[in-house]
């Protein structure tokens, strides 16, 4: 679950509880730059390739070979970027964009 701006991952806490009650596993973490512990000083570290790679690094750390991605607002723009990548087409079972259409729409 990817959050938008200026939200944080905790925006998904109620949804994650509801998903868990139905037997689903989910994860949401603050994206790069949204917490003091994950805010690189170098602007190049915020390149969308790095942000996209973060999605797959978290999935790998959780052991998710394939997964559904849901994203909101700025996270949705990043989600579209990731969905169009080679890894996205291979690993995403589905992609749901909340509040943001595809950039070319």
């Amino acid at each position: 679950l990817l959050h938008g701006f200026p939200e944080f991952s905790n925006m998904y806490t109620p949804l994650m509880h509801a998903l868990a009650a139905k037997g689903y596993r989910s994860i949401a973490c603050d994206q790069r730059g949204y917490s003091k512990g994950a805010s690189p000083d170098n602007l190049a570290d915020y390149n969308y390739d790095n942000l996209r790679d973060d999605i797959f690094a978290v999935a790998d750390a959780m052991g998710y070979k394939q997964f559904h991605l849901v994203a909101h607002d700025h996270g949705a723009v990043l989600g579209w970027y990731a969905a169009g990548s080679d890894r996205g087409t291979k690993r995403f079972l589905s992609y749901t964009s909340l509040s943001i259409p595809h950039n070319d729409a």
Side-chain angles (χ1 to χ4, degrees), residues 62-76:
M62 296 301 297
Y64 298 159
K65 294 183 190 287
Q66 290 189 304
F67 54 97
H68 301 277
L69 182 65
V70 176
H72 173 258
D73 190 60
H74 177 260

Side-chain angles (χ1 to χ4, degrees), residues 3 6-16 28-30:
H3 62 81
E7 294 90 14
F8 295 90
S9 60
N10 64 358
M11 71 173 274
Y12 286 118
T13 300
L15 175 60
M16 292 174 72
C29 56
D30 290 337

Side-chain angles (χ1 to χ4, degrees), residues 39-80:
S39 295
D41 291 329
N42 186 348
L43 289 179
D45 290 333
Y46 295 93
N47 180 285
Y48 258 50
D49 289 341
N50 295 327
L51 299 174
R52 178 204 54 218
D53 293 347
D54 289 346
I55 296 169
F56 297 107
V58 169
D60 290 343
M62 296 301 297
Y64 298 159
K65 294 183 190 287
Q66 290 189 304
F67 54 97
H68 301 277
L69 182 65
V70 176
H72 173 258
D73 190 60
H74 177 260
V77 175
L78 175 58
W80 280 118

Side-chain angles (χ1 to χ4, degrees), residues 21 31 35 37 43 45 56-57 62 76 83 95 100 104:
Q31 293 184 63
S35 69
L43 289 179
D45 290 333
F56 297 107
M62 296 301 297
Y95 174 58
I100 300 290
D104 291 338

